[in-house]
Amino acid sequence: MALKRNVSLASALRYKGQGPMLTYILHRIGGVGMAVFVTVHILASFVGGKAGIFANSIYENWLFQIFIFFCVLFHAINGLRITISDLWPKLIQHQREAIWVEWAVFLPIYGIAVYVIIRAALGG
Amino acid sequence: MTATKSKSLPLAKRGLNFEMLMWIFTRLSALAMYALILFAIIGALIMGARTQMNMADVLRWGFMPNLSHVQNTNVPDIAPWSTPFWRAVASLLLLVATAHGVHGLVVICDDYIVKPRGRQIVRLISIVFMIAMIAIGLYVVWTL
């Protein structure tokens, strides 16, 4: 499976897309992460039994919860920014500022959630 | 810093094809999911979630207002949580989310699979996958 691209992987990693590029990558990771999670979750509740319990034990793990909450929260907040700036195209010129607002909203909520998840994992 | 001026083409020049419709659908379905999740959370609070559920359980119910998401909480009577109304809300959320998600996966695949034949196969698989997940999801929502 040789992918043909005009840029090499090394130059792709050196690409300085900065904030918008980072949100684009994280949005994509979050989307795929949620798609896989929701698919497995629906199938697990459909199949039930031992396979269902096994799938449950994966996504009840605190590491997975930290990952999937990142996917959900980032995808939701970034998606709202994209929606707003796409429906009102004049706002696109403020997208870098919008991304700072986005992190200012995301980080406190995510930080508190991670704290709660880890505290629950430690049995508190 | 020079701000780049955003150009907007009139709709006639942009063309109104399937891709354009799915582009706007992705944005509108995102707003619809925000509305549905908020609606489910408000519904949970009206049904007494404030004293019977913790924050994580309320969010779990919000993201999919499904009976199995309240079964191991302190809710005394799950009958009001499993009415046809909430099953319909869950179904609506399932339909919107599946369409949004599968289209997103197709968009991602299009970045890596560029041959028309490959893209056709991706679309075929995505349609089969979407119908299967909607059928299984509806079964779970309405029978559990």
Side-chain angles (χ1 to χ4, degrees), chain A residues 75-88:
Chain A
H75 200 88
I77 294 175
N78 192 49
L80 191 61
R81 172 184 68 85
I82 296 171
T83 303
I84 291 170
S85 56
D86 275 356
L87 294 183
W88 288 277

Side-chain angles (χ1 to χ4, degrees), chain A residues 1 5 11 22 25-26 28 30 32 34 37-38 42 65 70 74 77 81 87 89 95 97 99 106 114 116:
Chain A
M1 282 290 284
R5 288 203 184 91
S11 69
L22 182 66
I25 293 172
L26 293 177
R28 192 155 272 205
V32 175
M34 272 195 288
F37 166 67
V38 170
I42 292 175
Q65 288 185 340
F70 180 88
F74 189 83
I77 294 175
R81 172 184 68 85
L87 294 183
Q95 66 156 331
E97 290 81 354
I99 287 168
F106 173 83
V114 167
V116 170

Side-chain angles (χ1 to χ4, degrees), chain A residues 53-123:
Chain A
I53 291 168
F54 174 69
N56 267 326
S57 68
I58 294 175
Y59 49 71
E60 278 167 8
N61 186 291
W62 62 279
L63 282 171
F64 185 82
Q65 288 185 340
I66 287 175
F67 168 70
I68 203 69
F69 192 67
F70 180 88
C71 293
V72 172
L73 192 66
F74 189 83
H75 200 88
I77 294 175
N78 192 49
L80 191 61
R81 172 184 68 85
I82 296 171
T83 303
I84 291 170
S85 56
D86 275 356
L87 294 183
W88 288 277
K90 277 184 182 166
L91 297 176
I92 289 173
Q93 51 184 290
H94 302 295
Q95 66 156 331
R96 280 174 191 275
E97 290 81 354
I99 287 168
W100 284 112
V101 174
E102 188 187 321
W103 285 114
V105 174
F106 173 83
L107 287 174
I109 300 177
Y110 188 63
I112 291 168
V114 167
Y115 169 71
V116 170
I117 290 170
I118 290 176
R119 200 183 55 178
L122 294 175

